Amino acid sequence: FPLNCFFGQMGVAPAPNKGTLSSIKPGEHGGNLDNKELSPGSTLYFRVNVPGAMFSAGDGHGAQGDGEFCVTALETSLHGRFRLTVLKNKNDEYTHNTHTGSS
């Protein structure tokens, strides 16, 4: 069984005017992305909405198909290392990612 480990939830605090949000539905702030392409070597961009950004990651997956149909994946405990960089004056309108690593 080939493993393709990744964190299903990653994101920053949403904009304060969004109020309280569920962690299930992803948005511009990230959230429950469940994207198997976000494995080691990926770059993910978020707009910083609050001072300190409040980045968090969790929901470790050992493997998953294209999305969590029926809310199912090979869930696991993961330890990760992230490099966080602030890109000043970047004006992207949405969250996006690039994948340059190998799965």
Side-chain angles (χ1 to χ4, degrees):
F1 197 100
L3 291 178
N4 179 38
C5 297
F6 67 97
F7 288 92
Q9 288 199 349
M10 289 186 283
V12 296
N17 67 345
K18 299 287 185 181
T20 302
L21 301 175
S22 167
S23 64
I24 295 172
K25 184 178 177 187
E28 295 176 354
H29 63 282
N32 193 29
L33 303 175
D34 283 335
N35 182 339
K36 69 181 182 179
E37 301 298 323
L38 294 176
S39 56
S42 296
T43 302
L44 186 58
Y45 298 92
F46 296 109
R47 175 172 290 175
V48 174
N49 300 301
V50 299
M54 299 177 65
F55 176 80
S56 68
D59 187 26
H61 292 197
Q64 177 182 291
D66 292 328
E68 271 189 308
F69 185 71
C70 296
V71 194
T72 307
L74 180 60
E75 305 283 337
T76 189
S77 174
L78 290 179
H79 293 276
R81 189 174 355 175
F82 300 88
R83 181 177 61 198
L84 305 176
T85 305
V86 175
L87 303 175
K88 300 246 182 205
N89 301 318
K90 190 148 177 70
N91 193 21
D92 288 335
E93 295 295 322
Y94 56 90
T95 299
H96 66 280
N97 74 291
T98 59
H99 182 75
T100 56
S102 59
S103 319

